[in-house]
């Protein structure tokens, strides 16, 4: 039994050949408690580096101009890692997300689901307004403000989208789009399990949207915690429910659903960033990976 504070057991350092007297000489060193064994970490670090390098897509031969152009267009240097994340996502979706969305669709009538979607979109209005202003879109900011006032009052907390009846059409904005307007590059394509397609710019934008959301600072009591959890759960259910048919079609008809979703996400984000027609109304999503929702509109 070792007494705390004393050196640990002596361990053999190396064994010398038998001495002239026929005795084997063994040298010992003491291992102090907590002593670092850096040599043991080297294989682990080597394995981590190997896995990291293996996660990168193989660059095409520079002499193959067509392959190089496609590689740059895809902008997916982490494709093996992303496909692994997509595989994990598909498993989670099959076991949890899709069944939950189907139950949500079965047990709640369309009118209730629309009302929930309207309320969630109305709660997101402050984030959209801040991003309108950061992009210098004063006209869109005025529309966003008008929608929030009308739907919060006449629409009874956003349950009904009365603003559309007054010609105030909704739109979506998030900090990822704002960063794009400011000239920030999107970075490599990323696929995040549960959240879906994204990129480093939209991941940063997700954090920015959380910082802009007044509900982030509304309090930390049990009531606010319950509201936050409920809102997050309903957002996930509403988003996945709206994608049941489109994603089923992609999985059934596409030879490579992963590549199809990557392309759909990119096209949708370009449309949203440029504020083009068909860019979409305000949704209940949280911004990250929102481009994929173009499949349901």
């Amino acid at each position: 039994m070792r007494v705390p504070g004393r050196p640990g057991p002596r361990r053999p350092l190396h064994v010398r050949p038998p001495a002239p007297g026929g005795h084997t000489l063994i040298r010992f060193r003491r291992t102090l408690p907590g002593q670092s064994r850096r040599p043991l970490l080297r294989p682990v670090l080597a394995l981590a580096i190997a896995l990291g390098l293996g996660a990168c897509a193989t660059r095409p031969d520079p002499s193959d101009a067509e392959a190089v152009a496609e590689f740059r267009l895809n902008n997916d240097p982490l494709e093996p890692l992303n496909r692994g994340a997509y595989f994990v996502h598909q498993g989670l979706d099959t076991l949890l997300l899709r069944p939950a969305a189907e139950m949500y669709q079965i047990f709640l009538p369309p009118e209730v689901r629309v009302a929930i979607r309207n309320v969630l979109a109305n709660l997101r209005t402050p984030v959209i307004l801040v991003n309108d202003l950061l992009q210098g879109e004063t006209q869109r900011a005025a529309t966003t403000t008008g929608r929030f006032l009308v739907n919060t009052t006449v629409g009874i907390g956003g349950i009904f989208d009365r603003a559309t009846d007054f010609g105030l059409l909704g739109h979506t904005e998030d900090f990822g789009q704002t960063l794009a307007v400011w000239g920030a590059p999107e970075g490599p394509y990323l696929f995040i399990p549960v959240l879906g397609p994204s990129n480093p710019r939209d991941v940063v934008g997700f954090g920015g949207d959380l910082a802009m959301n007044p509900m982030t600072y509304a309090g930390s009591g049990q009531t606010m915690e319950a509201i936050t959890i409920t809102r997050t759960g309903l957002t996930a259910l509403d988003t996945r429910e709206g994608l049941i048919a489109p994603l089923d079609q992609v999985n059934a008809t596409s030879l490579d659903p992963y590549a199809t979703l990557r392309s759909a996400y990119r096209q949708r984000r370009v449309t949203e960033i440029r504020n083009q027609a068909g860019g979409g109304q305000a949704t209940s999503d949280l911004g990250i990976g929102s481009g994929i929702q173009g499949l349901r509109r």
Side-chain angles (χ1 to χ4, degrees), residues 159-176:
I159 295 176
F160 304 102
D161 184 11
R162 297 302 182 212
T164 299
D165 299 336
F166 289 92
L168 299 172
L169 302 180
H171 61 272
T172 181
E173 289 292 350
D174 56 67
F175 195 57

Side-chain angles (χ1 to χ4, degrees), residues 130-145:
V130 173
N131 282 292
D132 283 335
L133 295 174
L134 290 176
Q135 295 177 32
E137 297 283 353
T138 55
Q139 180 91 27
R140 289 165 70 89
T143 300
T144 301
T145 303

Side-chain angles (χ1 to χ4, degrees), residues 187-203:
Y189 176 76
L190 299 174
F191 192 96
I192 304 174
V194 179
L195 296 177
S198 189
N199 57 57
R201 184 177 64 200
D202 282 351
V203 171

Side-chain angles (χ1 to χ4, degrees), residues 30-62:
R30 294 183 182 274
T31 301
L32 298 177
Q35 180 178 352
S36 174
R37 298 182 177 86
R38 293 183 180 178
L40 297 178
L41 295 178
R42 291 174 183 171
V44 177
L45 293 176
L47 177 61
I49 293 173
L51 291 175
L53 294 175
C56 297
T58 304
R59 292 181 175 273
D61 187 346

Side-chain angles (χ1 to χ4, degrees), residues 16-164:
R16 290 183 178 179
H23 300 287
T24 301
L25 299 180
I26 303 177
R27 295 182 60 190
F28 290 86
R29 70 176 180 184
R30 294 183 182 274
T31 301
L32 298 177
Q35 180 178 352
S36 174
R37 298 182 177 86
R38 293 183 180 178
L40 297 178
L41 295 178
R42 291 174 183 171
V44 177
L45 293 176
L47 177 61
I49 293 173
L51 291 175
L53 294 175
C56 297
T58 304
R59 292 181 175 273
D61 187 346
S63 62
D64 189 343
E66 184 177 349
V68 170
E70 182 179 1
F71 182 84
R72 291 176 177 174
L73 179 64
N74 291 335
N75 191 21
D76 192 3
L78 301 176
E79 184 170 349
L81 182 63
N82 284 329
R83 285 187 179 272
Y86 175 73
F87 178 79
V88 172
H89 171 84
Q90 288 294 87
L92 293 173
D93 187 70
T94 301
L95 295 175
L96 299 174
L97 301 179
R98 194 181 192 282
E102 288 179 331
M103 298 295 289
Y104 178 78
Q105 188 179 66
I106 291 171
F107 287 103
L108 292 183
E111 297 79 9
V112 175
R113 298 200 304 272
V114 170
I116 291 174
R117 184 170 300 168
N118 288 341
V119 170
L120 292 172
N122 197 53
L123 289 174
R124 184 171 163 73
T125 303
V127 174
I128 296 174
L129 175 61
V130 173
N131 282 292
D132 283 335
L133 295 174
L134 290 176
Q135 295 177 32
E137 297 283 353
T138 55
Q139 180 91 27
R140 289 165 70 89
T143 300
T144 301
T145 303
R147 283 184 57 82
F148 182 74
L149 294 175
V150 171
N151 285 339
T152 302
T153 54
V154 182
I156 313 177
I159 295 176
F160 304 102
D161 184 11
R162 297 302 182 212
T164 299

